[in-house]
Amino acid sequence: MVRDDLYITVPSFFRCPISLDVMKSPVSLCTGVTYDRASIQRWLDSGNNTCPATMQVLHSKEIVPNRTLQRLIQIWSDSVQQHRVDSTELANVVISQDQVKDIIKETDIKNEDFLENFSKIISFARESDENKKFLAKLDGFVIMLVEILSKVKDKDILEQVVRVLALILNKIEDQEHLMNLMLKKHQDSLTSLLLVLKQEQNVDSKIESLKILEFIAVDAESKLLIAESEGLLSELKHILSSNNADQPLIGSCLSCLVSISVSKRLKSKLITNYKLIPELKKLITDKNVSVSTTEKVLKLLETLCYSKQGRAEICNDSNLVQAIVQKMLKVSGVATEHAVTIVWSVCYLFRDQRAQEAVTMGNGLTKILMVMQSNCSPGVRQMSSDLLKIFRVNYKASCLSSYDTKTTHIMPF
């Protein structure tokens, strides 16, 4: 086997969001998200009426071939084939469970064939969910991965280990056990994840590192330990502020921040020290940002608005409040819920006059009425009703004030 064949990086947008395999026949839903035809067809045939990636209710189940993406995948595939050996040799990559066990037993970070062995394990894991489950349950395998993470600082090795761990992550049944391994027994593994996160070339590895961090954020203590790991918050801020970061990476970064942002101290740090809200404003006002990213930005803003500093910064920026109001409609049901919750929090729960004025200036009353007339959840409907009461009271008070002013000028006393 030619060594280069083992390190082919697949562009993330070539993978189906459901199967995570390279798409053979990419098709798009009405939400704009593209899937492999076979995967999305199974999803729809099972009776689902939502987009798997965004969970947005589909107003149409029509799927449209994404010819442009299919051509790009074909061009990429052809270029890959030029550097591969023939199909007979490729067939040798497919290995059995017993062979995987032998490979793992022989794997030693001191051996020259370490990377090659791990590439075989990755190929095995990608073959099927059954293989991923086999590795996740294989006695001592997950522990071995964490131990390697805690001991090794070679980026090539770390990327391979992170890739394997990310592949089997959702098949690990004892989430708390992995959390204890990484945060308490082998704390240096967090440092290794940060090393992978800081490298510039491989976006997939960065996303996989963030997914692992989010997975082990099980409780308040683990979330705090992750958040306080040296350099992590700075790197997350760097990703969000980067002009050339791709959407999946930004989405994973936002998901990680949402997952760990539970303590008042951390929220305060994100707002005051890392100036996170201006970065979120840039994202929410960017017309090219995906639906999924918009939902996560709103979710993080919702989390931060329950902090006194976060609420003050949001309410001080009328443009940001109006941008949130604009996301109440025509994005997704999830975005609507987060946007309404933010506006309800600052205008109704905390009665901030600056926010109320910004909502009024942004034609928010009309938006709220339209939300109430839509097929929204009972919770969103109740919050919208509360907001209408506030704005109606303000409107009546304004009218009465205007009337009193006029009568003062007309009636001499």
Side-chain angles (χ1 to χ4, degrees):
M1 173 64 67
V2 178
R3 194 176 184 83
D4 288 344
D5 292 336
L6 300 171
Y7 306 104
I8 296 167
T9 300
V10 180
S12 56
F13 60 97
F14 284 2
R15 295 186 185 278
C16 171
I18 297 175
S19 67
L20 300 181
D21 294 326
V22 176
M23 289 180 275
K24 296 178 180 177
S25 178
V27 293
S28 300
L29 291 179
C30 59
T31 56
V33 183
T34 300
Y35 303 89
D36 192 41
R37 183 185 293 274
S39 297
I40 193 60
Q41 196 63 60
R42 279 196 299 271
W43 170 267
L44 297 175
D45 290 345
S46 298
N48 295 297
N49 66 339
T50 56
C51 173
T54 67
M55 295 313 292
Q56 183 178 353
V57 176
L58 300 172
H59 59 75
S60 168
K61 290 188 177 182
E62 182 182 3
I63 53 178
V64 180
N66 191 330
R67 305 295 186 194
T68 302
L69 183 56
Q70 189 164 25
R71 284 195 294 271
L72 289 173
I73 292 174
Q74 187 59 55
I75 292 168
W76 170 82
S77 179
D78 290 345
S79 68
V80 167
Q81 291 300 328
Q82 291 175 7
H83 297 87
R84 286 185 170 182
V85 293
D86 60 41
S87 58
T88 304
E89 286 185 291
L90 284 174
N92 293 331
V93 176
V94 180
I95 52 180
S96 67
Q97 292 183 356
D98 288 336
Q99 287 174 308
V100 165
K101 287 182 181 179
D102 292 337
I103 290 170
I104 292 171
K105 286 178 183 178
E106 296 169 3
T107 297
D108 189 329
I109 56 175
K110 297 177 181 178
N111 294 341
E112 292 183 1
D113 59 356
F114 178 87
L115 288 174
E116 185 174 343
N117 284 343
F118 254 77
S119 293
K120 291 176 182 177
I121 295 170
I122 290 170
S123 298
F124 173 79
R126 284 177 173 165
E127 281 295 316
S128 67
D129 281 347
E130 182 184 348
N131 288 356
K132 294 182 181 74
K133 192 173 182 179
F134 169 79
L135 288 171
K137 289 188 172 185
L138 187 60
D139 189 35
F141 182 64
V142 172
I143 294 174
M144 182 189 81
L145 294 178
V146 176
E147 286 178 346
I148 294 172
L149 278 179
S150 67
K151 294 175 181 177
V152 178
K153 301 306 172 192
D154 181 278
K155 289 186 179 180
D156 290 334
I157 293 176
L158 290 177
E159 283 186 9
Q160 294 290 74
V161 175
V162 164
R163 184 162 295 123
V164 174
L165 187 54
L167 279 168
I168 66 173
L169 208 56
N170 293 330
K171 305 301 178 183
I172 297 175
E173 296 176 352
D174 195 344
Q175 192 172 353
E176 191 171 338
H177 176 62
L178 180 61
M179 178 268 288
N180 285 325
L181 279 174
M182 297 190 70
L183 298 181
K184 297 178 181 178
K185 191 172 182 179
H186 300 286
Q187 295 179 357
D188 285 346
S189 58
L190 279 185
T191 306
S192 295
L193 288 180
L194 185 59
L195 278 175
V196 176
L197 201 56
K198 283 184 173 180
Q199 58 81 28
E200 295 296 331
Q201 289 77 24
N202 197 329
V203 173
D204 285 345
S205 295
K206 293 160 80 81
I207 292 172
E208 287 155 355
S209 294
L210 289 168
K211 285 181 178 178
I212 293 169
L213 288 171
E214 187 178 352
F215 186 82
I216 60 174
V218 176
D219 52 25
E221 183 185 6
S222 59
K223 293 173 192 287
L224 191 60
L225 287 170
I226 293 169
E228 291 185 341
S229 56
E230 188 176 355
L232 177 65
L233 295 181
S234 296
E235 189 58 32
L236 295 180
K237 165 71 183 296
H238 173 71
I239 291 171
L240 290 182
S241 59
S242 176
N243 292 325
N244 57 356
D246 69 353
Q247 291 288 310
L249 178 57
I250 290 174
S252 295
C253 181
L254 290 167
S255 292
C256 186
L257 282 168
V258 168
S259 180
I260 64 177
S261 300
V262 290
S263 71
K264 289 182 180 179
R265 182 172 64 181
L266 178 59
K267 290 174 186 174
S268 177
K269 189 182 289 187
L270 288 172
I271 296 160
T272 308
N273 297 1
Y274 293 94
K275 310 295 181 186
L276 189 63
I277 289 179
E279 297 302 332
L280 297 178
K281 179 184 176 181
K282 289 178 187 176
L283 287 171
I284 203 174
T285 53
D286 185 346
K287 294 180 181 179
N288 297 319
V289 166
S290 68
V291 169
S292 177
T293 300
T294 300
E295 291 171 349
K296 290 169 184 175
V297 170
L298 289 169
K299 175 60 178 174
L300 190 50
L301 283 169
E302 179 188 329
T303 300
L304 297 177
C305 83
Y306 288 107
S307 157
K308 186 176 181 180
Q309 296 102 319
R311 193 162 58 250
E313 190 160 343
I314 291 171
C315 294
N316 278 333
D317 191 336
S318 61
N319 290 329
L320 174 56
V321 175
Q322 290 175 27
I324 293 168
V325 169
Q326 293 304 312
K327 302 304 178 182
M328 283 184 175
L329 294 167
K330 297 183 180 179
V331 179
S332 70
V334 172
T336 295
E337 184 156 348
H338 292 319
V340 170
T341 302
I342 296 168
V343 175
W344 178 84
S345 298
V346 295
C347 293
Y348 180 81
L349 187 61
F350 295 104
R351 307 295 172 106
D352 191 286
Q353 189 173 354
R354 297 162 301 173
Q356 292 173 3
E357 290 172 357
V359 171
T360 302
M361 290 172 59
N363 199 25
L365 188 57
T366 302
K367 299 278 186 185
I368 294 165
L369 284 167
M370 291 175 69
V371 168
M372 286 199 70
Q373 293 168 8
S374 68
N375 187 28
C376 61
S377 68
V380 169
R381 193 176 302 280
Q382 181 59 56
M383 286 188 287
S384 299
S385 176
D386 292 340
L387 286 167
L388 285 178
K389 291 175 186 176
I390 284 290
F391 288 110
R392 282 171 180 163
V393 168
N394 289 349
Y395 177 73
K396 287 179 181 178
S398 176
C399 289
L400 286 172
S401 176
S402 176
Y403 176 76
D404 289 343
T405 302
K406 289 178 181 177
T407 53
T408 299
H409 290 298
I410 294 171
M411 296 178 64
F413 290 98

